[in-house]
Amino acid sequence: TRSTAADQLKLAESALTDSTLLNLTAQRETSVPDDPAALPNTDELLGENGVVGGKTGSSTPAGGSLMWAAHRTIAGQDRLVLGVVLHQGAGTTAEQGLARALTVSRRLIGELGKDGTR
């Protein structure tokens, strides 16, 4: 399948502004019935720099992606800011693509609200 950052941002607006879905994406791990093994969340940004949830994805052809939600104070008000990073490290391993998506997202999130207008 194919998607654009604009399409994914629309999805983020629907999914990550729903408190139940946002809380699910904020879990550091989960499990499935009848399987005692914990399944870790691969979003290493959770809890860092205001990040409160999101969804990772990665494959060799598509690269890494991250849809994220972070709280930021902008112009004196707390805001839930949403972002999407797609197609990072395409053609590398899924792990390398995800690492690149996390790095790029971390940088973008760090810049949010620095000048009070973003």
Side-chain angles (χ1 to χ4, degrees):
T1 63
R2 294 176 191 244
S3 188
T4 66
D7 288 341
Q8 290 297 306
L9 194 54
K10 288 176 188 175
L11 180 60
E13 282 185 287
S14 179
L16 299 180
T17 58
D18 178 288
S19 61
T20 300
L21 291 175
L22 182 61
N23 289 337
L24 285 172
T25 69
Q27 300 300 310
R28 297 210 179 267
E29 64 183 32
T30 192
S31 60
V32 294
D34 300 323
D35 186 347
L39 302 170
N41 186 332
T42 56
D43 184 352
E44 297 171 4
L45 303 186
L46 285 174
E48 178 182 305
N49 212 0
V51 175
V52 294
K55 172 68 178 92
T56 63
S58 59
S59 69
T60 295
S65 64
L66 180 62
M67 173 190 295
W68 49 264
H71 282 284
R72 279 294 194 252
T73 301
I74 299 175
Q77 294 188 15
D78 182 51
R79 305 277 187 179
L80 182 65
V81 180
L82 305 174
V84 174
V85 172
L86 298 177
H87 203 67
Q88 299 299 305
T92 64
T93 68
E95 293 80 13
Q96 290 169 321
L98 179 57
R100 179 76 182 139
L102 291 165
T103 297
V104 170
S105 295
R106 183 177 283 118
R107 188 173 356 140
L108 289 171
I109 294 165
E111 291 296 317
L112 288 171
K114 281 191 172 182
D115 63 6
T117 59
R118 293 185 184 172

